[in-house]
Amino acid sequence: MSGNINVLLKIWHQKNANTKGGFVDYKVNVSPDSSFLEMLDEINNDLERKGEDPIVFESDCREGICGTCGLVINGEPHGPLRKIATCQLHMRNFKDGETIWVEPFRAKAFPVIKDLMVDRTALDKILQAGGYVSVNTGGVPDANAIPISKDLSSEAFDAAACIGCGACVASCKNASAMLFVSAKVSQLALLPQGHPERSKRVQAMVMVMDELGFGSCTNTYACEAECPKGISITNIARLNREFFNAKFKSSVLEY
Amino acid sequence: MKLDAKIPEGNLSEKWTNYKSNMKLINPTNKRKYSIIVVGTGLAGASAAATLGELGYNVKAFTYHDSARRAHSIAAQGGINAAKNYQNDGDSVYRLFYDTIKGGDFRARESNVYRLAEVSNNIIDQCVAQGVPFARDYGGVLDNRSFGGAQVSRTFYARGQTGQQLLLGAVSALNRQIAKKTVTLYNQREMLDLVVVDGKAAGIIVRNLLTGEIERHNANAVILATGGYANVFFLSTNAMNCNATAIWRAHKKGAAFANPCYTQIHPTCLPKHGEGQSKLTLMSESLRNDGRIWVSKSKKDLREPWNIPEDERDYYLERKYPSYGNLAPRDISSRSAKEAYDDGRGAKGGEAVYLDFRDSINRLGAKVIEERYGNLMDMYQTITGENPYKSPMKIYPAPHYAMGGLWVDYELMSTIPGMFVLGEANFSDHGANRLGASALMQGLADGYFVIPYTLSNYLASEKPALVDTNDKQFAEEESKTREYIDKLLSVNGKQTVDEFHKKLGRILWDYVGMARNEAGLKKGISLIREMREEFWKDVKVVGKNEDINQTLERAGRVADYFEFAELLALDALNRNESCGSHFREEYQTEEGEAKRDDEHYAHVAAWEFHDVGKWTRHQEELNYEYVKLATRSYK
Ligand SMILES: Cc1cc2nc3c(=O)[nH]c(=O)nc-3n(C[C@H](O)[C@H](O)[C@H](O)COP(=O)(O)OP(=O)(O)OC[C@H]3O[C@@H](n4cnc5c(N)ncnc54)[C@H](O)[C@@H]3O)c2cc1C
Ligand code: SF4
């Protein structure tokens, strides 16, 4: 079709976590208005018509908010553009004749399930360790009983915007989950509602993060650059402060 | 089939209090002897599972996602309503109740809607306590904005990501219960059937989406919070995986399906770009606070929008509905867009109208507009490659929300005892049209504040002993599920699942869409039947059951849609009036507005399933004791 572009895709195939994978070539002619994932839908429909297994990849909302999609495109989690998830990437951002490499998010804590799909449930396990305010339903004060400054609330929102996609982990050479964890710790450390459990929370979450095989943070800033929601690296500094204060407090208490 | 809504005695404003005072309780130590299945971890499911866990029940939560946080609720943008009256602009529980009833075009149950308005304030308190970062004013108190169908500012919001923040709040409560082991999460599991023993819900059959294993789970009660069916149209604003399988299969097991023809077509979505399009993106209705909707006054106007002078523009909503203007309810706004397009006056002659920020930018400055809608403006630019600060957005209506759903009584119980339905999956509160920002309210009301009470009332007369999963009923359902999967895999035709889904969507859009008529609906039904037959002869589902098989997952959902679509059209055909989202061309006023027939249709249509293509229509009369039925006017 006129206006369409031709690209060569090299897409990762892998049967499961225990087998070795490899790249398979696909030549496609695609509209620049098509999204990257719509292009994959088309490839899959072609494969299905031929009776072949489609490429397994995940997506759901296709609006960049559910955090389900996640591909490494030309070496970058969520592709070449900043501050978008894979599903928001459109083919108009590629050149006619370009070769595009497509891989899953890779990290020790994210085993490949099949092809481009990985297991990211480790992120939820960290949240289960303390990423909440312990209030039961009912019996809470009126919403306006706790005034919170607009700036503070806005800063907490910036941290709360994390979509749990795991791109920060995939972009980090140590496969650290610090940006993800710091986002939740920061949201609840900034807001007064989170204060009563502040020290317990940060210690519990960091402990589980370590247990699950995520690496440590060496301040390369790669995570911030690839994060679709622009979660700031300053959250990691805050997490470190919170952690230090909590440790200090608990060691004082132990005496 | 008997439809008993079980509306409590007393004045409208006392019903819920009376219910709570008289309901049966289970003592705290006995609660853990009861097992509850909750299917779905969206706002409705997550809030229900967390709260029931807190109360001490033994809860099993299911979702087909890898994480509870990915439920479709995460994508809600604009906000959530509550009758707090923080703005001192005259809001009250009664006004929220009345607006919701009126917005629904007088086709919802008074008692349920009143309760919804009553608990709305508790929701906001709960969310704030969890740390949901709602928008605030400089003084530190919560901010509000207005949404369609209301003349007060009662919508609470968290930038353009309200659903995300509310869901993360509910999921954090759920995570806390998972850590406490009161809730067990079964992720990547799809419910494929309901098990009914001695007329009561006894459990479910699920498929493990990673291994294909078919599992049996038992419980004393089953709660479905599985979302809406708008994806039956293929192109909709819903997430790709949203589907009706859980409610449809429960319907086939005896749960009445209510008002399937009430499907909301949202006025402000991005138009379609081509055949490969996989979904339509919603642009939050909140944009209509500052954006003006218009088309050219002349047909086939191919000029660029900025070259069309002011006096040649038709701001049709402001012209037709001066008191609500661009904030007219969704059904009315969508239909007006369609009229403009049908009249040949769509943007550049195409299937789109303009949503223009020029005047607001001139009045308030681009900075304020960016502050209010920055992420939506960015989203528009990312998808279309056009800058909405410079030229108006192009928008068009798209299927968005299901007001219809499984029939439930005041206790949110379906016609199958022991099976409850919450959130978008039920039909309860929005009548024939849902107002913006009230789905989030309903989902959380159902989950946090209604089901914890009504479930107790049911369980108190049930013994805690469970039906054994080795029981013959479980075994039978499991083998039927396996046979069905084998049947899908063995057709081995030529067309893909997506191709069929697109064709079905097209039929619905053309014949059962924004404007319907008798001949078109009949045609639609016969086309749906033909296409369904073709599906079972010619669909190609590759792969096997014992593996991840996304094609198989979709095939099952589309097969269900083929059955459900017929009921949707049949319901539309049998409702010989226009109301809310259901517009029958035969029934309109001279000015082209919907014409209700209260004498014959002030009822809920609840369908009982006999066989595919065979249903009985039952009626639940809607007795309006407190509200006077009036012609809805937004002029
Ligand atoms: C783009 C968009 C924007 C919106 N914005 C707003 C807004 O601003 N304000 C507002 O009030 N409303 C809004 N809505 C509507 C609102 O978001 C939904 O109605 C609401 O979130 C539905 O919540 P739910 O809990 O009922 O279902 P969902 O959030 O859809 O959750 C369904 C759950 O059920 C699970 N599930 C489904 N089937 C199965 C099965 N067979 N087996 C296992 N699990 C299953 C899913 O995994 C998921 O966890 C919006 C909707 C859309 C599409
Ligand atoms: S911090 Fe950013 S990259 Fe990491 S999970 Fe959250 S949104 Fe994704």
Side-chain angles (χ1 to χ4, degrees):
Chain A
M1 260 196 339
S2 68
N4 280 9
I5 56 170
N6 290 303
V7 290
L8 173 64
L9 293 156
K10 293 188 170 285
I11 300 181
W12 186 260
H13 278 241
Q14 184 172 342
K15 237 176 136 64
N16 54 46
N18 308 319
T19 51
K20 264 182 74 175
F23 289 98
V24 177
D25 287 3
Y26 298 89
K27 277 191 190 138
V28 296
N29 175 270
V30 60
S31 154
D33 286 333
S34 162
S35 74
F36 197 88
L37 297 185
E38 283 167 354
M39 174 181 67
L40 295 185
D41 291 339
E42 287 296 307
I43 294 177
N44 277 347
N45 270 279
D46 283 342
L47 289 170
E48 288 175 21
R49 274 187 285 266
K50 287 190 264 176
E52 290 172 34
D53 282 349
I55 306 153
V56 174
F57 69 94
E58 287 187 285
S59 81
D60 201 20
C61 76
R62 298 217 174 172
E63 293 185 3
I65 194 74
C66 71
T68 310
C69 64
L71 302 175
V72 174
I73 299 168
N74 286 342
E76 290 188 78
H78 295 308
L81 298 197
R82 292 288 152 266
K83 290 204 189 174
I84 59 164
T86 306
C87 61
Q88 295 167 294
L89 180 63
H90 284 74
M91 294 314 293
R92 70 177 77 91
N93 299 297
F94 296 90
K95 289 190 292 286
D96 189 36
E98 196 170 337
T99 299
I100 307 171
W101 298 81
V102 188
E103 297 165 79
F105 280 3
R106 295 183 199 275
K108 183 171 156 221
F110 293 168
V112 170
I113 296 175
K114 191 172 178 182
D115 298 341
L116 303 170
M117 179 181 185
V118 301
D119 180 355
R120 286 169 291 182
T121 47
L123 296 179
D124 278 342
K125 296 209 177 89
I126 305 175
L127 293 182
Q128 282 155 16
Y132 43 75
V133 175
S134 297
V135 285
N136 284 352
T137 301
V140 297
D142 182 86
N144 263 350
I146 330 163
I148 301 172
S149 87
K150 191 177 162 85
D151 292 343
L152 193 66
S153 161
S154 174
E155 209 181 334
F157 184 100
D158 289 339
C162 163
I163 58 173
C165 62
C168 46
V169 180
S171 67
C172 175
K173 66 178 167 48
N174 309 320
S176 163
M178 279 292 264
L179 193 62
F180 169 80
V181 179
S182 72
K184 188 47 78 184
V185 166
S186 289
Q187 176 199 349
L188 298 178
L190 285 163
L191 295 173
Q193 298 92 309
H195 287 181
E197 295 167 287
R198 183 166 187 176
S199 355
K200 204 174 118 202
R201 174 180 308 117
V202 66
Q203 295 187 73
M205 288 176 74
V206 168
M207 192 177 87
V208 172
M209 171 180 80
D210 291 343
E211 280 169 12
L212 290 169
F214 290 100
S216 53
C217 172
T218 51
N219 294 319
T220 65
Y221 294 12
C223 52
E224 186 186 64
E226 301 299 350
C227 172
K229 292 293 150 189
I231 303 293
S232 159
I233 200 102
T234 56
N235 289 305
I236 297 186
R238 185 178 295 107
L239 184 152
N240 287 332
R241 268 196 317 274
E242 289 287 316
F243 189 72
F244 177 80
N245 288 343
K247 276 278 181 216
F248 180 72
K249 232 198 257 164
S250 60
S251 60
V252 170
L253 287 177
E254 274 158 27
Y255 274 99
Chain B
M1 179 177 278
K2 206 172 124 261
L3 300 173
D4 178 5
K6 292 194 251 159
I7 299 167
E9 294 295 312
N11 255 320
L12 187 60
S13 60
E14 289 158 7
K15 287 182 191 296
W16 183 229
T17 314
N18 289 350
Y19 179 91
K20 288 192 288 184
S21 319
N22 296 319
M23 60 175 254
K24 288 177 245 158
L25 297 171
I26 301 176
N27 94 37
T29 51
N30 280 343
K31 285 203 181 85
R32 91 190 120 76
K33 297 182 190 152
Y34 289 92
S35 291
I36 317 295
I37 283 175
V38 180
V39 189
T41 63
L43 285 177
S47 57
T51 307
L52 296 174
E54 289 161 7
L55 288 170
Y57 294 107
N58 177 17
V59 181
K60 299 196 210 176
F62 293 80
T63 166
Y64 54 68
H65 290 98
D66 63 330
S67 164
R69 69 183 294 153
R70 310 225 196 273
H72 168 59
S73 294
I74 200 93
Q77 301 171 349
I80 176 166
N81 286 333
K84 284 281 194 187
N85 193 30
Y86 282 162
Q87 304 304 325
N88 198 27
D89 56 359
D91 203 5
S92 64
V93 167
Y94 186 84
R95 196 178 286 277
L96 173 54
F97 153 75
Y98 184 80
D99 285 351
T100 309
I101 288 274
K102 177 182 170 195
D105 215 357
F106 305 93
R107 289 293 176 264
R109 203 187 278 149
E110 272 184 334
S111 54
N112 284 54
V113 178
Y114 195 88
R115 175 178 65 193
L116 174 66
E118 239 179 314
V119 302
S120 67
N121 293 340
N122 302 67
I123 298 173
I124 304 303
D125 299 342
Q126 190 64 35
C127 296
V128 168
Q130 290 166 345
V132 168
F134 281 121
R136 286 175 186 269
D137 270 336
Y138 285 101
V141 294
L142 295 168
D143 188 24
N144 291 111
R145 61 181 167 206
S146 33
F147 251 58
Q151 287 176 318
V152 292
S153 281
R154 64 160 73 99
T155 305
F156 294 79
Y157 64 101
R159 291 194 198 152
Q161 287 152 247
T162 314
Q164 179 200 26
Q165 294 308 319
L166 295 178
L167 184 61
L168 293 182
V171 168
S172 76
L174 180 66
N175 278 338
R176 177 168 159 249
Q177 294 309 308
I178 293 172
K180 288 186 163 183
K181 299 201 162 47
T182 59
V183 178
T184 312
L185 180 71
Y186 294 84
N187 59 342
Q188 285 158 324
R189 304 292 208 293
E190 179 157 22
M191 168 183 163
L192 292 182
D193 221 330
L194 177 78
V195 182
V196 180
V197 178
D198 297 332
K200 289 179 188 164
I204 58 174
I205 303 290
V206 306
R207 177 170 180 269
N208 180 324
L209 300 182
L210 298 183
T211 61
E213 205 176 319
I214 307 294
E215 306 169 351
R216 310 171 189 183
H217 295 270
N218 55 3
N220 299 95
V222 173
I223 296 172
L224 299 188
T226 52
Y229 54 73
N231 264 359
V232 67
F233 284 84
F234 184 70
L235 286 180
S236 84
T237 61
N238 287 15
M240 299 297 288
N241 294 309
C242 288
N243 67 85
T245 287
I247 55 174
W248 189 248
R249 301 206 181 167
H251 169 59
K252 292 170 83 171
K253 281 279 148 59
F257 208 117
N259 300 334
C261 78
Y262 295 158
T263 311
Q264 180 163 81
I265 314 280
H266 195 292
T268 54
C269 305
L270 298 189
K272 192 172 146 179
H273 67 67
E275 280 314 306
Q277 180 108 21
S278 57
K279 72 159 283 180
L280 294 168
T281 303
L282 175 76
M283 286 282 114
S284 168
E285 169 168 306
S286 58
L287 291 169
R288 293 200 271 146
N289 272 298
D290 289 302
R292 299 178 69 194
I293 295 180
W294 63 276
V295 290
S296 170
K297 282 184 180 161
S298 36
K299 296 183 190 220
K300 302 241 158 40
D301 192 337
L302 299 179
R303 284 177 291 179
E304 291 297 342
W306 51 86
N307 290 332
I308 301 180
E310 196 56 27
D311 59 349
E312 292 179 37
R313 297 178 176 197
D314 177 15
Y315 294 91
Y316 56 84
L317 288 177
E318 296 171 24
R319 172 172 57 80
K320 295 199 308 200
Y321 308 100
S323 58
Y324 281 75
N326 293 298
L327 286 174
R330 294 177 174 175
D331 51 338
I332 290 178
S333 309
S334 290
R335 225 155 32 236
S336 302
K338 181 183 182 314
E339 275 163 25
Y341 163 72
D342 288 346
D343 195 30
R345 299 190 296 130
K348 290 186 142 184
E351 260 189 312
V353 299
Y354 294 117
L355 175 63
D356 202 339
F357 292 90
R358 186 195 61 185
D359 295 348
S360 306
I361 291 175
N362 288 342
R363 187 164 40 94
L364 305 162
K367 185 132 198 315
V368 173
I369 296 301
E370 188 188 337
E371 246 172 48
R372 288 189 188 161
Y373 312 107
N375 65 325
L376 296 168
M377 303 299 249
D378 292 350
M379 188 159 157
Y380 184 84
Q381 183 149 16
T382 316
I383 297 174
T384 62
E386 288 172 17
N387 180 347
Y389 294 96
K390 296 240 161 74
S391 67
M393 287 183 176
K394 287 198 211 69
I395 53 161
Y396 203 62
H400 175 60
Y401 181 85
M403 278 78 67
L406 293 184
W407 185 90
V408 288
D409 60 20
Y410 187 76
E411 300 188 296
L412 303 183
M413 188 150 85
S414 68
T415 51
I416 301 174
M419 191 186 87
F420 296 78
V421 192
L422 320 184
E424 194 174 338
N426 74 24
F427 89 109
S428 74
D429 296 343
H430 309 293
N433 173 54
R434 174 175 72 80
L435 291 182
S438 48
L440 301 183
M441 168 172 73
Q442 183 225 332
L444 290 180
D446 289 359
Y448 284 134
F449 297 109
V450 180
I451 192 71
Y453 294 91
T454 60
L455 183 70
S456 157
N457 197 44
Y458 170 76
L459 289 177
S461 348
E462 294 293 307
K463 294 205 180 64
L466 294 171
V467 177
D468 196 315
T469 50
N470 292 317
D471 184 87
K472 91 172 193 310
Q473 206 74 27
F474 272 94
E476 243 171 54
E477 296 304 345
E478 182 189 324
S479 62
K480 275 196 219 150
T481 303
R482 286 182 188 282
E483 279 164 29
Y484 192 72
I485 290 172
D486 289 342
K487 195 172 147 197
L488 280 167
L489 287 167
S490 61
V491 179
N492 200 19
K494 290 195 188 61
Q495 301 178 62
T496 65
V497 175
D498 283 359
E499 284 169 325
F500 274 111
H501 196 174
K502 282 183 194 181
K503 285 183 186 170
L504 175 63
R506 191 73 233 182
I507 298 172
L508 287 173
W509 187 244
D510 288 345
Y511 299 101
V512 202
M514 272 184 281
R516 304 156 170 181
N517 62 53
E518 186 180 338
L521 288 166
K522 286 184 172 155
K523 174 104 196 271
I525 291 174
S526 73
L527 289 173
I528 292 164
R529 287 186 174 165
E530 273 168 36
M531 196 54 68
R532 184 167 66 221
E533 254 177 52
E534 195 177 321
F535 174 87
W536 283 107
K537 280 192 196 126
D538 200 36
V539 72
K540 187 166 192 86
V541 185
V542 295
K544 55 180 190 216
N545 176 55
E546 292 73 25
D547 193 2
I548 295 171
N549 190 338
Q550 296 172 322
T551 316
L552 175 64
E553 291 166 27
R554 286 203 304 275
R557 298 167 189 169
V558 173
D560 289 340
Y561 275 146
F562 268 111
E563 298 176 4
F564 167 66
E566 181 174 343
L567 184 62
L568 201 168
L570 188 67
D571 187 43
L573 181 63
N574 278 273
R575 188 166 280 279
N576 292 306
E577 65 163 350
S578 293
C579 59
S581 65
H582 170 64
F583 191 76
R584 282 280 301 268
E585 286 164 347
E586 303 95 316
Y587 309 102
Q588 51 181 308
T589 64
E590 272 170 21
E591 292 149 313
E593 302 293 335
K595 201 157 127 194
R596 286 198 328 259
D597 176 356
D598 293 333
E599 200 188 324
H600 301 103
Y601 288 94
H603 63 242
V604 174
W607 297 85
E608 181 183 2
F609 179 88
H610 301 294
D611 203 345
V612 178
K614 269 209 200 96
W615 289 274
T616 307
R617 186 178 191 269
H618 298 273
Q619 290 177 201
E620 179 203 335
E621 294 308 321
L622 292 168
N623 300 314
Y624 284 92
E625 289 179 63
Y626 297 88
V627 164
K628 220 174 108 244
L629 292 183
T631 301
R632 213 168 47 141
S633 166
Y634 290 94
K635 297 219 172 215

